[in-house]
Amino acid sequence: MRRRAALAAALLALVGTAACAGGGGDGEGSGDGVTRFSYLRPTWGPATYTKDGPYEKELEKRGKVQVDVQIIPVVDYDTKVNTILASGDIPDVIWGSGPMSPTWKEAQDEGAFLPIDSYLEKYPAIREAVPASIWKILADDKGDTYFLPNLIWPQVPFFLFYREDLFEKAGLAEPKTLDDLVSTLQKLKTDYPTMVPFTMGYEWHAKDLATSFGTSMNGWEPSADDPNQLVPWFTKDKEVDVYFWLQDLHKRGLLDPDYGVNKEPNFSTDKFKAGKAVMALENWAAFPDIASELRAVDPAGKVGVVSPLGDLGGTRTVFPVDRGFYVSAEMEDPDGFFRFLNWTLTDGTDFRRWGIEGKTYRTTGATKTPIPDTEREKSYQGPQVEPLSFLSPFSEKLDWNQMQLGFQSAGVGDRFDYIREKFDAYTAKDYPDYRDPTARSATEDKKGTQLFEDYLQRVTESTIMNHDVTRADWQQAVAKWRAAGGDDIIREVNAAQKDRSKPNYIPR
């Protein structure tokens, strides 16, 4: 179903029947002091969560809740959640894209979700977890708030990891430019024919590689012809260059042949950790896990990080909200849920951050140290913890002390300063999305998804691995999109966004 049709069906269903998980109760709870709610969310890790595990039971005991967790792998989430909306059977708490997305904004405006301002006042730890500037963006034109944001630090470099030991064996130096990288990959293909020279999960993994071309990835930027006009990513020549550069790598066998075929976003990282790839693009914070797991496979394996390539290289900074969740308007006990959420940010903070002593962390004196997944019992590993995660404060999103403990726990404490230096190198130059997420376009809200699917989806999703796609194909697709309503979208976004200067989401 088209997203619009799915949403319409969902709203009709909401009018005709209460959501199964809600029940339209009076908000007084169950009477036994336990709050029960269903919770639908995406998972970024392996979708191997099993219900009623020991971590879940401990959370429920301490937090006085009973959570019916439902998970969908993140790569499938946006597609499958439309079906859930259309069914009318909306869980009590459901992850979504927030009011920046027309689908979720329309559902919000039609009354599918609960306004939460009164609960933010009653439970101040929740409000204080999110910067006031973000709450302001999330409020609707009446000043009402419905969405609880999942916060991220705006700087999330995707490092170009490489095998230092294999480079040394092949007599290779760390590449300094894009041309260096290509020649390096060619030599790796020759010297290590049974290994993949370079792998990445999907195009977003290349966001910081794209900065070496002088552009952000998948964002709006000032037009090369008119710096006062913002234009979307697929119209920018420099970004198109990135796609066809990657296509050339793929064509020459330098980029993983599984790219675009294997839809699991972690496949490339797993391949690198298993010693099957020499270079990989991955979230910088994954270093301890990557380095320790590689060492378990190959004791000689040592992971390095290529510095930003060329004079332009840096990082693509992001708007500090990556999805979040809504509370169903039909939820029976919303106060109980917000009371629980407040607990996770106050008395339950220690459990939220560390988990269970001896299972997810160790204590030495007064110091807590996380236990790496590789050393945990399976029922306490990440896939059993992630689906039971909710909200954490913005102040915790770049906690160097906590990270250093993680490095030490993973046995790579000696690499902490090295990785921090690489983080500083990547974040020295930032390439943000210039578009304000609240700058709406009526045309985009009405038919933006359809226009993208009709004209742009083929070229943007298949160019890298489909060697038959040409620049002329891309240009023709963009021209058709513009003629069918794309120019209206560009005009309306620019009219709605008065400040088109470079944004800064990083607290100074």
Side-chain angles (χ1 to χ4, degrees), residues 76-143:
D76 301 322
Y77 193 81
D78 290 340
T79 300
K80 291 186 177 181
V81 78
N82 279 342
T83 303
I84 293 168
L85 285 174
S87 73
D89 186 11
I90 299 177
D92 292 321
V93 182
I94 181 171
W95 274 56
S97 300
M100 291 76 73
S101 159
T103 297
W104 292 93
K105 179 65 163 63
E106 189 169 341
Q108 172 183 305
D109 291 345
E110 292 294 336
F113 308 122
L114 187 74
I116 64 174
D117 292 282
S118 61
Y119 298 102
L120 298 180
E121 293 303 315
K122 185 174 182 180
Y123 300 108
I126 302 174
R127 181 181 291 281
E128 292 166 3
V130 179
S133 58
I134 301 299
W135 284 127
K136 183 178 179 180
I137 289 172
L138 298 177
D140 67 9
D141 55 4
K142 298 177 182 177

Side-chain angles (χ1 to χ4, degrees), residues 244-428:
F244 282 95
W245 182 80
L246 289 168
Q247 183 196 69
D248 183 63
L249 294 185
H250 192 270
K251 187 186 303 183
R252 296 164 62 179
L254 305 180
L255 173 61
D256 196 336
D258 284 341
Y259 173 84
V261 177
N262 190 327
K263 299 301 182 181
E264 169 55 53
N266 297 316
F267 88 88
S268 58
T269 310
D270 292 340
K271 186 172 289 190
F272 185 75
K273 290 188 295 187
K276 297 178 180 179
V278 188
M279 305 187 79
L281 287 168
E282 184 50 89
N283 188 320
W284 76 281
F287 176 84
D289 176 58
I290 289 173
S292 60
E293 291 199 30
L294 174 64
R295 190 175 53 208
V297 173
D298 183 352
K302 188 175 181 181
V303 181
V305 176
V306 175
S307 296
L309 297 171
D311 295 332
L312 300 175
T315 191
R316 158 67 152 91
T317 50
V318 298
F319 180 62
V321 175
D322 184 11
R323 295 185 172 89
F325 44 93
Y326 283 101
V327 175
S328 168
E330 302 295 328
M331 186 176 187
E332 182 174 343
D333 185 15
D335 187 77
F337 169 71
F338 282 96
R339 184 171 60 248
F340 161 72
L341 195 61
N342 196 72
W343 170 82
T344 68
L345 296 165
T346 52
D347 293 343
T349 291
D350 195 68
F351 182 85
R352 172 179 57 79
R353 296 197 72 179
W354 295 101
I356 303 169
E357 186 171 8
K359 300 298 184 180
T360 60
Y361 75 94
R362 304 182 184 97
T363 302
T364 304
T367 303
K368 296 183 178 72
T369 305
I371 299 174
D373 255 18
T374 52
E375 299 177 23
R376 295 185 191 181
E377 299 171 33
K378 189 173 182 179
S379 55
Y380 293 96
Q381 291 176 358
Q384 307 309 314
V385 176
E386 182 191 14
L388 291 156
S389 300
F390 294 87
L391 182 68
S392 57
F394 191 63
S395 59
E396 295 177 7
K397 297 304 176 180
L398 190 66
D399 187 335
W400 289 110
N401 292 330
Q402 179 86 351
M403 289 181 198
Q404 188 166 21
L405 290 173
F407 274 64
Q408 293 169 353
S409 176
V412 291
D414 61 322
R415 302 288 275 174
F416 177 76
D417 290 339
Y418 168 78
I419 292 299
R420 186 162 184 176
E421 288 173 3
K422 292 292 185 177
F423 179 92
D424 291 342
Y426 272 76
T427 58

